[in-house]
Amino acid sequence: MSGKASSSQHTVGFSGSGGLSHVYIQYPPLRCRIPGSRGLYYDDGSKLLLGPTSNQVFSWKTVPFDPHVAPTSDSISEGPILSIRYSLDAKFIAIQRSSQEIQIWHRETGETFSHKCRSESESILGFFWTDCPLCDFVLVKTSGLDLLACDYESKLLDLVETRRLNVSWYVYTHESRLVLLASGMQCKTFTGFQLSSAGIVRLPRFEMAMAKSEANSKPVLAAEDIYIVTVYGRIYCMQIDRVAMLLHSYRFYRDAVVQQGSMPVYSSKIAVSVVDNVLLVHQVDAKVVILYDIFADSRAPISAPLPLLFRGFPRSNTSSSRFSGKDGESAEANISDHEAIIYGDDWTFLVPDLICDVANNFLWKIHLDLEAISASSSEVPSVLEFLQRRKLEANKAKQLCLAITRTVILERRPVSMVARVIDVLVSNYSYSIKTGSYLKGIKVERTSISSGAHVNSPRSSANISASGIDALGKSYEHEPSARVENESLNRSSNISTSDSEDEAHFESLKNTTTSLQKLDRENILGAESASNEAQPSSSQSQHPGLNNNPLNASVSERQELQLASPAISPDEMYSFVFAPVEEEMVGDPSYLVAIIVEFLRSTNLEKIKVHPNLYVLTIQLLARNERYTELTLFIINKVLEPSKEVAMQLLESGRQNFQIRKLGLDMVRHLSLHHDYVVLLVQDGYYLEALRYARKHKVTTVRPSLFLEAALASNDSQLLAAVLRFFSDFIPGFRNTSDHHTYHRILSEMNSAIAT
Amino acid sequence: MGLASANTSSEGMQLCVFDLRRGQLEGQELDKILFFFPADLPFSTQLSVIGLSEGLITFTRIFSPEAACEVIEAERHSHVFYEAEPDIWMVMVVEKSKGLEVIWRIDALREVLKEVHSLFMMFNGSIRAMLEREPSGGVIRSHLYPFIMDYLSDFLVGKKLQLPSFRDCLTERGTVQMLTVGREAAIEVQSLVRVLESCAGATPCHSLIFFQDLLVSTTVSPDDTINLFTYAVLRLTPRALSSGASSWSYLRKGSTASHVAAGSTLAQSASVSEHLYRSHDNSPGRDDSYHVKRPLQHDKWAKGKDGFLVTDIWGAEIGSSVTVSPTIWLRQTEERVYLCAYQYKGLTLILLIPVSSILNGEQGVSLVKQQVLENASLKMLKVEEKLSKGWGGENAYHVSGYRYLLVDDDRNISRASPPVKVATLTKESLLAMNKLREEVDLEKSRAKRNGVDQEKDLEICIRAKNNAWVIAHTTRGKELYMVLEKANETLLYASDAVEKFSNRYCGGTFSLD
């Protein structure tokens, strides 16, 4: 362990001078310095960073993250502020004034009312707003939960329901809608409630694992050792075990909590963030971050521990002075000494992907460096799988996938490996088609571009992309959840027998949730919470307090991120992989043909249609190598599906090989392209066949003169006579046309010439 | 094998190969004979057969220098000519007997000559090249004799040679029968082909894939495909491997007491002929250890433990039990390739590795084989599974009510009613079809002679004596022959039947109007 720590320390030193990293924070940060600030509060419900002063609250929007966003302010009355949160519809501000009192502030009217604890024995641990249909406001007290409804008319918080239990401390994230209440001597016994839009779900009570250092000492779990993490629409809880130096993970199901596995930690201070469903474990002391993609069962990190990189800091003074403005030089001085700042003591990690530098009043957003991550692994298929799961920078992930695929083909890696790469891309595309995220992404892209600054469009796109994630999360779930189901049922029954009071409650809950369970058979929490994720932002957009300008900015930013999924369609595979690769590739094209065959195999398995251009390309490759036998097999067995483009390419390639031309002709006929077929027959000199065909299929678009000229060119009077006769018989009024007269005369001249 | 004893009865057939460029001087006539069957015929008789053929060739060349004599119909014999290589001729003389059983189609007989020559070329290279290498002719004779004898042994029924007769009028020698596969299976097959292609590193390998006795995929030219297909069906496919054991047992019973004895008989006859040839060769004898390959010998292929087929036809490496890998010549590229055959259930796979790409001989070949096993065995499993799932069995291509033969001349592919179904036809129908095919052959060769590159449509429907419809239909390189027995008497019915068949099974090729 110590050896590892020292080695990671070493990498810090190495990369401190701008070395490798997979995660970075981008300069400039969101500066939230205001004179007279009394600290910063992050409200994850409304996604606002709040900076109260003695009589005002400044709020910065953090989603979408814009470092230059201007704060909005609300005036409040003076008094102590322990905690502050905006309601989800942004109409109210709730401020915890003391351990007994909460003050509610109506933003429009400025009216206030207070809510106090009934008894002195209990004190308020915290509160949050919720979109649960039962209540609006949840108060967490040492004696349990109070679910309250906000009644503005009577200026009251009505008590809807109380859940009595002893609480030492609690953890809540709005993202998961999950509140975990810690109790017991070691604070390792947990009761969880999910207050989702579908209702309240009580989780079975569970205990967290804690190693003992000595026989007698019992470590106490602290709130900062627990993180609720939402990844791929699933909810996990990460628990730091300081004695064992392990990070335990628990996954929450509707009726069970299942320990999933542990990851080693190399630092006494640990923080956890989630960026684009990737779990980031910050080893604060070691100043490195380890990335985990806990999509699969594997608990192996994505890559080696590497430091967090500080990106985009302007080193020249001229550029820094441009930005400095009111924030003053001191901030700049601090930043320029960035090695000291990274993982500073003043850093607070906010859910899910923000870092607040309390000392400097900076807010950083953590970004994944997808390029660096994908470059760090040689296992290309798994890199692509990772990239294909990225939603946040879907476009970038997509471009990376395309580039990687091009590279592996150009480098002529083994076909089996490229085949796996292709399988990953195709199955992901097929998946995104099934869930609709691919098509929706495109649709949204189109509408938002056309409607420009329209206020509604960002909202709809947010909803859609969120639902895409939701759907993904749900059905990716299938296997593991099914496996867990039995186990979890057993556990829940155990728990309910031991706790009879809860049992009744559990039953009543069951009734309310059965309908949901029908919908969501996997029993996953969090699936629906993810779908609601977009709500706060949409309600914000309607808020009069926020003007339209930042919204517009968000539209333009979103256009880049428009793609809801990095899935790559077969058309894109053709135009961004096969076509460019074909141009660059030199030498024997059989390798590329092999790759294309693998692609076709993959698409055929997923029942995806392939762009005819790819078939055309394949024909060109095979014909260029004069591999006509194989080309014939490809056509006959419909490996290259028939289409007009394919047929035309066959005719084109058939200039060198008559057999291939015939295949093209046959395909034209099978496709019922009657006009083309007749013209082609005439070109090949099969006049009578062409006429017969024209008559059978009533092709009237081919001019008679075409046949007559051809017949005349053959210098065969019998043929000319036959053609002439055919038209006279089958086209009414042909005898009166100039064609008839001309050729009739020519024919009689020919005949007289023969006679003499 | 017992062919030697069969010849002595000497009824029916004579087959000779001779070189017009040799033995032009008086007294050296024997020199031109490269092969004669039956070998024990007196030289005078042999020479008279060849002399007559040579005379006719020289004579007809005056009128048609490009394509000389094709056939002579004498009162009691038919002479079928085939110019295998420039000035190297093969002539088959068949006796016309009074019995109905021996009615031939000349083109079918010529296909036999063509086939044996093509196969010989595949294994040994051209006759001319061998003659140039060893002008005395001893080597070519010692190669041709066992090769053609082995080939002819396939036509033995009991003690009699049974050449293709009118009963075989609904088959086409020298074409390939293909398995029809769906798109998914075809893609899997192609995927396998690509893996095989890259097995020997940089130099691409060719491959052929068979399922049962049908071709699934090939990457070699049509000519080479036909040869390899013929050879595979004769000796390599699962049926060929197993029938080698079963069917030959009864033949052995018929001819000689034991296999060894049969072999010795043949060896004896071979040595007799060798002795005869050598006696007038005046050439010094070849090295006795010179190895004459007999790739058409029966029972020489067996399935090895690793799934690869092994044979000792090509001999063994000196001082070891490792057999030498077979090599063949590809006609199109004129390159020598190793032939590796692998078998998994019904799937037979022929891998052709260019000799030039393997540096260290047998060791290199076994390395490639290992590569194949490593990279492709999974795919082979999959392909076999897909193909056997989609396979309709022996009678898969039977269309009830029809007895047909479908030939694609461009691709050298044919498909026909299964033999058991054709066998249900009456003799009259078959004779009528045989006759009709001869007519069509004539028409085809006439068109070829006239240099018309356009393929004419041809449609003939004949009401045979037994009230069966006998139909031939050719269009643009495709031919359809059909016998409809117990059919309605109107011509409309017959042409409807063709149309229906064409639309369903030929993609509408024969129903253009």
Side-chain angles (χ1 to χ4, degrees), chain A residues 647-708:
Chain A
M648 291 305 152
Q649 181 58 46
L650 286 174
L651 292 168
E652 172 70 30
S653 301
R655 288 165 197 265
Q656 276 79 47
N657 184 306
F658 188 62
Q659 176 53 41
I660 299 299
R661 185 177 167 80
K662 267 192 184 172
L663 286 176
L665 267 173
D666 277 348
M667 192 177 283
V668 170
R669 182 165 55 81
H670 282 291
L671 292 168
S672 300
L673 302 167
H674 300 313
H675 175 86
D676 298 86
Y677 187 64
V678 169
V679 171
L680 287 165
L681 280 179
V682 174
Q683 267 178 28
D684 286 1
Y686 293 97
Y687 313 109
L688 298 181
E689 286 83 352
L691 286 176
R692 284 210 300 256
Y693 188 86
R695 188 185 65 195
K696 185 179 178 189
H697 294 279
K698 302 190 174 52
V699 183
T700 53
T701 47
V702 184
R703 286 172 299 115
S705 58
L706 187 72
F707 291 94
L708 291 164

Side-chain angles (χ1 to χ4, degrees), chain B residues 434-452:
Chain B
N434 198 52
K435 187 83 191 133
L436 180 58
R437 285 206 64 184
E438 279 201 314
E439 290 299 322
V440 174
D441 289 343
L442 208 63
E443 200 63 40
K444 266 160 58 185
S445 68
R446 196 173 290 153
K448 210 195 280 171
R449 257 203 310 281
N450 295 344
V452 185

Side-chain angles (χ1 to χ4, degrees), chain A residues 563-580:
Chain A
L563 294 172
S565 126
I568 297 167
S569 72
D571 292 10
E572 289 162 325
M573 277 299 273
Y574 169 74
S575 34
F576 298 117
V577 177
F578 292 114

Side-chain angles (χ1 to χ4, degrees), chain A residues 115 118 126-130 132-141 144-150 157-165 172 177 179 181 193-196 199-202 505 509:
Chain A
H115 180 86
R118 282 182 197 153
F127 67 93
F128 52 87
W129 296 91
T130 172
C132 173
L134 258 66
C135 57
D136 308 313
F137 192 85
V138 178
L139 203 56
V140 189
K141 299 182 294 185
L145 286 185
D146 275 357
L147 309 182
L148 306 160
C150 188
L157 283 176
D158 294 329
L159 185 67
V160 178
E161 209 176 303
T162 318
R163 302 290 173 102
R164 296 248 150 255
L165 71 166
Y172 174 79
R177 308 291 200 276
V179 58
L181 309 169
F193 294 94
Q194 191 185 31
L195 301 121
S196 71
I200 301 172
V201 180
R202 185 201 161 109
H505 195 75
L509 255 176

Side-chain angles (χ1 to χ4, degrees), chain B residues 169-243:
Chain B
C169 64
L170 285 181
T171 58
E172 183 75 356
R173 190 170 291 272
T175 56
V176 167
Q177 280 86 58
M178 293 207 69
L179 180 74
T180 303
V181 291
R183 181 167 190 255
E184 192 175 327
I187 292 175
E188 290 292 348
V189 168
Q190 283 303 326
S191 174
L192 171 61
V193 170
R194 303 303 131 191
V195 172
L196 296 175
E197 187 179 36
S198 59
C199 267
T203 339
C205 296
H206 285 296
S207 67
L208 289 95
I209 298 174
F210 300 87
F211 185 74
Q212 306 293 1
D213 280 353
L214 298 168
L215 182 73
V216 178
S217 150
T218 170
T219 66
V220 293
S221 70
D223 282 346
D224 293 319
T225 303
I226 293 170
N227 284 339
L228 282 161
F229 174 80
T230 310
Y231 188 61
V233 171
L234 283 179
R235 297 292 179 265
L236 300 180
T237 56
R239 210 177 58 176
L241 283 183
S242 63
S243 75

Side-chain angles (χ1 to χ4, degrees), chain A residues 597-598 601 604 615 627 629-630 632-634 636-639 659 662 669-670 685-686 692 696, chain B residues 178 181 183-184 186-187 190-191 194 197 218-220 410-411 454-455 457 476 507-508 511-513:
Chain A
V597 167
E598 290 304 322
R601 186 184 55 80
N604 182 57
Y615 297 143
R627 289 159 62 168
T629 324
E630 288 153 83
T632 307
L633 278 175
F634 271 89
I636 296 280
N637 290 330
K638 292 195 171 59
V639 172
Q659 176 53 41
K662 267 192 184 172
R669 182 165 55 81
H670 282 291
Y686 293 97
R692 284 210 300 256
K696 185 179 178 189
Chain B
M178 293 207 69
V181 291
R183 181 167 190 255
E184 192 175 327
I187 292 175
Q190 283 303 326
S191 174
R194 303 303 131 191
E197 187 179 36
T218 170
T219 66
V220 293
D410 298 319
R411 296 170 55 214
Q454 268 204 27
E455 294 144 323
D457 279 10
R476 316 197 57 209
S511 44
L512 287 184
D513 48 359

